[in-house]
Amino acid sequence: MILKIKTSKTLVNGFFFSLFSFFNQGVSFFLLILLANYITPGEYGYLSLFNTIVMFIGYFISLSTQGYISVSFFQKESVYFKKDFSIIFIITLFVFIFLSVILLLFHNHLSHITQLSDPLLWFSVLISTFTLFLNVNLDYLRIKEKILEYGILSCSFAIVNFLLSLYFVIKCSQSWLGRINAQLICSIFFGLISILFFLKNRMFTFRNYTINDFKQIICWGLPLIPHLATNWIRQGCDRYIINYHYSIEEVGLFSFALNLVNIIIILGVAFNSSNSVSIYKILSDNTINNKIALLKKQTNNIFYIYLLSTILITSGGCVLIPIFLPQYSEAIPYFCILSVYAFLQCLYFLYCNYLFYYNKNKKIMLLTFSTSILHLILSYLFTQYSLIVTSFIYIITQAIIVIEIKRFSKKLLMQIK
């Protein structure tokens, strides 16, 4: 009976989280179609380079401590959770100030390296910071299982971003820069809304801090920076390698394919949003006797959802791209191969929760960071021959990660038998 209730609740929550995520992704995808006549593959390449900088800063802006919110929520009492919550925001504020000083001192050098102007570098820092506030808000609503509030906030962001992008790109003729302006305004607006939400719910407490409180959270988050940066090392560095060997147009086509397979990855993230909460509840509930069976049943159900979704999304993309976005048809081979990589990324989500729960962050970091370095080496050596080869490199390195994470998670689960 417990098995059915737990599994049903996870699937229901996963369905709604997926529904909201697919709505948001659908809005972004529809936006891409509408803007296709206004943003060329070359301009899309420049936009992708900007987004790689935003992604890179996003890994450092809180020292990757925001993930500790979920762990603290389930392992600590409310008063200690709020203390951890506040410490994470203090850390983010100090990192923001540090990055601002770096920009003031070395803005000319950084502009030359990134091929972005000074204002765009400032925009990247602001977008990363306020997007973090929004994501923390969404994560808090997720672990509280407030699905309606989560949906309203996330979908509102997608709709406002959609409308502003249309206005700046089409109405104001700002091309790819208009897309960045829309991101900036939306991130600041919804980031401020999130801060007001935290203040209203008295989430902040600024007393009784100790050095050990900061040390514990920072030590939890620091190993995750290399882990999270693996995505930037693979996708971000690949874009610069492609630009070196080919052209900014090829960067745009390959980035377009990566963004399409993100539909699959977003589904994985959506179901994992509910799945991770359920896993943490099961592992922390000492009254449940059949934890292994419960977790195995849940994992199998979500596995088949990932597999079916990958097949449907890949097939649909191959049919629709030539019809609605013919100028991006050359990206279809990359899209088909990278879809397998996206499926493997979803499988990674299935097993990494156990390592996070048992604070095996260093294990995750060492594995993902080492494979990303392997990916970078392979990409540097073989991208010059074909972008098809680059696409297969994504599959190889992600398969290594999934195999090792699954093997280690099984060892952890053996401890609770």
Side-chain angles (χ1 to χ4, degrees), residues 22-38:
F22 268 109
F23 174 82
N24 299 334
Q25 184 65 24
V27 169
S28 299
F29 182 71
F30 186 51
L31 177 64
L32 182 63
I33 295 175
L34 291 178
L35 300 182
N37 293 323
Y38 302 90

Side-chain angles (χ1 to χ4, degrees), residues 403-416:
I403 291 171
E404 286 301 305
I405 289 292
K406 181 178 180 181
R407 183 179 66 85
F408 196 73
S409 66
K410 283 187 174 182
K411 287 185 177 181
L412 291 175
L413 290 178
M414 292 293 293
Q415 301 175 7
I416 64 175

